[in-house]
Amino acid sequence: AEGEKLNGETVVATMGEAKLTNADLQIYYWMSVYDFLNQYGGYASMFGLDYTQPLDMQLSIDGALTWQQYFLDSALTTWKNYQAMYHEAKANNYVLSEEYTTYLQELPATLAANAAQTGYESAEAMLQGDMGPGATLDGYMKYLNTYYLGYTYYGAILEQMTVTDAE
């Protein structure tokens, strides 16, 4: 609904019961940027991306969208995919392995320690430095929980599949 709020944040997209707020969109946006840079690294300039310049001032690969628009589209697509996998995992009573559960439980303390080592007053301040002022530790943890549950569920389904030569 137009102007809908969730925990004081504006809802920018919905998918079934799932709602994406502008604060959570920042996390998906910057993760899309970081994923692109991790994948292409030094080759990003071959795609016309100069990450030292504002992303809204440069045309992306297709020449029609700016890099900012490109990463916003990517963030929204990623959010939809993660939501679909997450909800499918939940519908099938899939649970994270103990390894991932422990990792996610310990991550806030790990982030806090990393933040202190790098001069930030908190994990949330460090996340905001990386992803913008709306990013929260809770939002980042929600992102990771959604990702890991859906991703590991998807992997488990792929492992169970048997494909014949004819297929």
Side-chain angles (χ1 to χ4, degrees), residues 29-30 32-33 49 53-60 65-75:
Y29 174 86
W30 284 106
S32 292
V33 172
L49 176 60
Q53 300 298 315
L55 297 176
D56 63 343
M57 301 299 288
Q58 306 174 59
L59 291 180
S60 68
L65 300 175
T66 65
W67 279 106
Q68 183 182 61
Q69 293 166 324
Y70 174 87
F71 289 124
L72 279 170
D73 284 351
S74 176

Side-chain angles (χ1 to χ4, degrees), residues 71-89:
F71 289 124
L72 279 170
D73 284 351
S74 176
L76 188 57
T77 298
T78 299
W79 176 75
K80 289 177 184 177
N81 290 339
Y82 286 8
Q83 290 302 312
M85 290 187 292
Y86 174 84
H87 288 287
E88 190 67 21

Side-chain angles (χ1 to χ4, degrees), residues 103-120:
Y103 168 75
L104 290 170
Q105 287 171 343
E106 294 173 353
L107 188 57
T110 301
L111 290 172
N114 290 344
Q117 287 178 339
T118 55
Y120 289 96

